[in-house]
Structures are given as C-alpha cells and as structure tokens.
Amino acid sequence: MTYNIKKVGVLTSGGDAPGMNAAIRAVVRACVYNKLECVGVYRGYEGLIEGDFKDLNARSVKNIINRGGTILKSARSKEFFSKEGREIAYHKLKEKGIDALVTIGGDGTFAGASVFSNEFDIPIIGIPGTIDNDINGTDFTIGYDTALNTVVEAIDKIRDTANSHSRLFLVEVMGRDAGDIALNAGIGAGAEEILIPEQDMGRGRLIESLKRSKKSGKTSSIIVVSEGDQIGKNIFKLASYIEENLVGYEVRVTVLGHIQRGGSPSCFDRVLASRLGVASIDALINDERNVMVGIRHNKVLSVPFLATKKGKKELDLELIRVADITSL
C-alpha cells in the first residue's frame, strides 16, 4: 500500500539519551528537505494522547545538536497501554493532520509503536535511542557511546583515589539486562574485574581473582559492575561480602546512576543520530512502516519492530578474552 504522507510527527519516549536532540534535528530537516511538514510531539505517548503538539521547521531545531536530553521531553504513559488511550491518540493525530510518526526510544517505545501502527494503520518508523545498547537489530543505539565516555572518565578519576589509599572500588554502571557499558568501559578504564548479567562469575571466583591480584603486587583495584549482575543481591551486599572474605582492602562503592545519561553527545552519537534521523524519513518516503532504522557494519538498514525486542545479545567473546588478559 502506498501512503500519501504530507505531515510527520516526531516524539521521544522512555529514558532520555545523549543524541536524541541530534536525531530530532535530522528528522525535522529531512522533512523540510523533502517538502514535508513536521510536528513535534511533547512528552512521548502521553503528549500524543493530550495533543501536545508544536509545528517545527529547520530553524526550530537550531543549536540543539550539542545538547543532551531531549527538547521534546519524555514521559511514560500508562494510558497508552489501553486500547482506549491509543484511540484517543489516533484521533489527536487525525485532528492535527499527521500522517506518520517517527518514534525515538527503546524497546518499550517500539512495542507501543508496533501495536499503535497495526491497530490504526499508521506508518511508524523507530530510531533506537538508549544508552544501554540493548536493542536487537542494530550494532549501536544513540547515547551509548556518550555514556561509555562518561563512565570511563569517571572511573579514571576514581582510580586516582583508589591508588592513593589502597582501596578497592566497586563502580556500578547502567545495564539492567545488557553488560555492554560495563564490558567496554571496564576494558577502556583498565578495570581488574568486570561483572555483567550475561556471565555469572560467582562470588568465590571473584574473591580468588582479587587474592591473586593482591599477591601479584596490586594495592588497589577497580571492579566495574553492571546493575543487572546477579553476583550479589545488590552492589552494597557484594561490598560487604568482599570485606568479610578479603583482608587488606578498604572497599568503597560508587553508583554512577543517571550521570551516565546526561551531557553533550559525542561526535559518534551526533553522526549516528543524524544518519538515522535522515534514514527514518527516507523509510517513510519509500513506503516502509512498522520498522526501526538501525546500523549494522556501518550500513543503515531497516528492521521490523518485532525483531528488535530487547533480549540478551550474544557476548562478544573476543572482548571477554581481552578483558581477562589485560586485567592481569
């Protein structure tokens, strides 16, 4: 079926990620380039239901490529989970004359978009924006590279204190279901151990590893822990366990938390967001729908929403091996 698209809505949903503004900018300017109107939807699906819209043009998105967060704001909408809520959203779109949507977010955003598209026959294209890099079908998500750089910079500073006081630091990073941030940042920051949800190291093995490190002459250590790792009930319980079973280290815990989501996006994220923003409008013009535009092997491609469901990706065994070798 061919869709006569004249006006495109764009929204951000779920957790914010550095580079979302760059994606919004690219979507708006790609619309202008292709002589389409563009409407910003504020506060995600919640704003869609409430009709919180604003017409956008090329000048509306000036000077935002370098800004973190999202100028369109983000919110989680319980009402959109219901058929009645989605029907209200559909009528709001029709009242505004919006023919298609571009949604920027994670797997929850795409799940909602898929249902909405199928129920009301609306072309929707998704752009992956989440720092966790846990969306299937794309090598990278917008915000991931910036978050990595933020984590590495923080660990570098923590190491200065660890070395000065012969301390062991547990540094918790985001990644409830995926250890990409922990694994890559751990290697980049020279961590002694990396704990990720995809690989159960076990507390006994961790203690033995730390004992070997101490015996080899290490007087301080950094352990990077993904928030989804199950080695302990939580990072503070893990710290207590280490103190009880390892003599000679002061154990400290740092939870980086939402600092990882903020900040100016890296050049990589700005370029990625720009490419995917343009690709989303190309997809709509080419009569695509119900797909995410992602990147694989540095090539932009379209992936059906149903294939993007969040799940544990295959571990990069080369990175695991590199981490084991370089942490000696």
Side-chain angles (χ1 to χ4, degrees):
M1 181 176 179
T2 300
Y3 298 89
N4 185 22
I5 295 172
K6 295 180 180 178
K7 187 180 290 189
V8 178
V10 57
L11 62 82
T12 52
S13 176
D16 62 289
M20 280 185 165
N21 282 328
I24 295 167
R25 173 181 179 270
V27 169
V28 173
R29 293 190 171 176
C31 283
V32 173
Y33 181 84
N34 289 285
K35 297 180 174 53
L36 301 174
E37 294 180 64
C38 191
V39 177
V41 181
Y42 283 83
R43 296 177 296 110
Y45 294 128
E46 190 73 10
L48 200 61
I49 291 171
E50 295 177 7
D52 193 357
F53 304 139
K54 180 180 179 181
D55 294 336
L56 301 175
N57 57 42
R59 301 285 70 80
S60 301
V61 291
K62 67 179 181 180
N63 300 327
I64 68 169
I65 194 170
N66 60 315
R67 290 171 56 183
T70 163
I71 64 166
L72 294 179
K73 309 297 184 183
S74 185
R76 303 186 189 279
S77 175
K78 291 183 179 179
E79 194 173 358
F80 196 76
F81 282 106
S82 69
K83 177 69 178 291
E84 294 76 17
R86 293 191 296 273
E87 190 166 358
I88 293 171
Y90 171 72
H91 289 302
K92 292 292 185 181
L93 284 182
K94 292 297 102 180
E95 288 173 11
K96 186 63 178 176
I98 296 173
D99 306 305
L101 276 177
V102 173
T103 60
I104 306 169
D107 70 308
T109 301
F110 298 159
S114 181
V115 173
F116 192 48
S117 177
N118 288 326
E119 282 180 343
F120 299 102
D121 197 30
I122 300 171
I124 303 181
I125 305 297
I127 297 176
T130 168
I131 68 167
D132 289 342
N133 202 42
D134 58 356
I135 302 297
N136 286 315
T138 184
D139 289 339
F140 301 106
T141 59
I142 296 168
Y144 170 63
D145 184 72
T146 305
L148 272 185
N149 288 317
T150 298
V151 170
V152 169
E153 182 180 358
I155 294 175
D156 285 347
K157 293 176 180 178
I158 290 169
R159 186 176 292 282
D160 291 342
T161 293
N163 288 336
S164 298
H165 296 276
S166 297
R167 286 174 176 163
L168 185 155
F169 269 87
L170 301 181
V171 182
E172 184 181 88
V173 302
M174 284 185 170
R176 187 174 293 108
D177 301 300
D180 290 56
I181 291 178
L183 181 57
N184 285 272
I187 292 173
E192 279 66 36
E193 293 293 346
I194 302 168
L195 307 181
I196 56 178
E198 297 92 336
Q199 187 181 53
D200 184 8
M201 183 178 190
R203 293 188 298 179
R205 183 183 157 199
L206 174 62
I207 294 298
E208 289 306 311
S209 175
L210 292 172
K211 285 180 178 179
R212 286 195 301 271
S213 294
K214 188 171 180 61
K215 190 174 181 179
S216 71
K218 284 188 178 181
T219 58
S220 64
S221 291
I222 300 287
I223 300 175
V224 178
V225 184
S226 177
E227 64 179 329
D229 181 72
Q230 298 300 312
I231 197 169
K233 289 184 178 179
N234 58 57
I235 195 168
F236 297 99
K237 294 283 188 182
L238 178 59
S240 297
Y241 178 83
I242 293 173
E243 285 185 324
E244 292 168 3
N245 291 274
L246 189 66
V247 178
Y249 275 129
E250 290 183 63
V251 182
R252 296 289 184 270
V253 172
T254 298
V255 179
L256 294 184
H258 286 80
I259 190 175
Q260 297 160 87
R261 282 190 181 172
S264 181
S266 65
C267 180
F268 181 90
D269 274 329
R270 298 182 199 192
V271 173
L272 176 63
S274 299
R275 292 179 70 185
L276 297 184
V278 169
S280 69
I281 301 305
D282 289 342
L284 286 174
I285 291 171
N286 291 327
D287 293 329
E288 293 188 64
R289 57 180 292 152
N290 231 341
V291 300
M292 173 194 77
V293 288
I295 190 161
R296 296 295 298 270
H297 309 299
N298 204 33
K299 298 293 182 183
V300 174
L301 77 168
S302 297
V303 181
F305 279 145
L306 290 177
T308 68
K309 287 184 178 179
K310 181 168 66 175
K312 291 185 178 180
K313 295 182 179 179
E314 289 187 15
L315 273 177
D316 188 328
L317 298 181
E318 180 196 3
L319 283 181
I320 295 292
R321 180 170 179 268
V322 169
D324 288 341
I325 292 172
T326 58
S327 64
L328 293 175

